[in-house]
Amino acid sequence: DSEGAPALMVRAEVNLRMGHLAEASNDCDFVIERDPSCIMAYAVRGEARLRMGRFEEAVMDCEWALAHGRRTAAVLSVRAEAHRKLGSLREAICDCDEALRESSNCAEALGIRGQACLELGDFAVAVTDLSKAIEAAQATAIEGGAAAAEACGSAASDPAPSLVEAPPARLKEIFVPLLVARAEAQLNLRSFDEAIKDCTDALNLRCDEMALARAVRGEANLLSGHLDEAVSDCNVALSMEPLDA
C-alpha cells in the first residue's frame, strides 16, 4: 500500500531538517517498503545515515538514487562526504567535481573537496575551495535572512547579517568545519594570522566542542610568537579533550 508514502516522505524531510535523524531514516524505510522506486526516500535516508555516521550505508543509498534519478549536486555531495569520511578521498573529489558541474556554487561540494584536498596535503587548493565554500554558504545565509526579513515586513535597507553575527543554526554546522579546515590549511602554508582569524571566527560561531579550533589556533599563535595566547588555547583544548590518565 503506497497511499501513505507521500505523507511519510514529507515527515522524513521535516525530521531530517530538524536533526531527528533516526526518525527520518525510519520514515524512509517505511516509504521504501511501500514504494521501492521512491528516489527521494533513498536520497533523504542517505543524508540521514551520513549524519548518523553510517557512511557505507549512505554511499549505497546515494548510489541507488543516482542510478535511478537525476544526478543532482545535493546527492553527489552527500556521497562525496561519505566517501571522505571513509577515507576514499579521490572518490570524494570526483563526486564533488561532478556536483560542481551541475551547480558551480554548491557550498557543500566546494567544502568537501576543500577538506579532501587538505587531507591529501594540497593546501593551496584546499584554501581556494574552502574560501569559495564559505563565500557560497555566507551568500545562502544572507539570502535566507533577506527572505525572512521580507516576509516579516522589514525595511529593504536593513543591513545584511555578517558571517559571525547571524547565520541560521543549521548553517553554523556548515560554517564552523569550513573555517577550521581552512585554518589548518593556512597553518600548513604558514599564514598564521589568517589561521588565527579563522579559528577565532569559528569559536565565535560555536564555542562548544571546539578543541580542534583551539589547538590549531594555539599552534598558529606559537609559530607566530604569541606564547601566552598559545598556552591559553592549548589549556582550553586540553580541558575539552583531556589526556588519558
Side-chain angles (χ1 to χ4, degrees), residues 181-195:
R182 188 172 68 177
E184 288 189 76
Q186 298 279 21
L187 181 63
N188 280 281
L189 292 170
R190 304 188 68 80
S191 300
F192 304 132
D193 289 344
E194 290 85 348

Side-chain angles (χ1 to χ4, degrees), residues 54-128:
R54 295 163 61 178
F55 305 127
E56 294 91 346
E57 293 169 290
V59 169
M60 288 189 291
D61 277 340
C62 290
E63 287 179 349
W64 196 99
L66 292 167
H68 294 84
R70 192 165 66 87
R71 298 177 71 83
T72 66
V75 178
L76 285 162
S77 296
V78 170
R79 188 174 71 173
E81 180 65 354
H83 277 314
R84 189 182 74 83
K85 292 290 190 179
L86 291 168
S88 303
L89 301 179
R90 296 297 181 188
E91 290 87 342
I93 289 172
C94 286
D95 277 345
C96 291
D97 289 344
E98 184 177 351
L100 289 165
R101 288 193 292 272
E102 173 72 20
S103 177
S104 60
N105 290 319
C106 178
E108 291 81 2
L110 286 164
I112 294 161
R113 191 172 70 179
Q115 289 172 299
C117 287
L118 170 65
E119 291 166 32
L120 287 168
D122 198 347
F123 303 122
V125 174
V127 168
T128 298

Side-chain angles (χ1 to χ4, degrees), residues 192-215:
F192 304 132
D193 289 344
E194 290 85 348
I196 290 168
K197 181 180 184 304
D198 278 344
C199 289
T200 300
D201 282 348
L203 291 165
N204 286 338
L205 279 166
R206 192 178 78 205
C207 295
D208 59 314
E209 300 178 3
M210 286 306 298
L212 178 58
R214 289 281 185 177

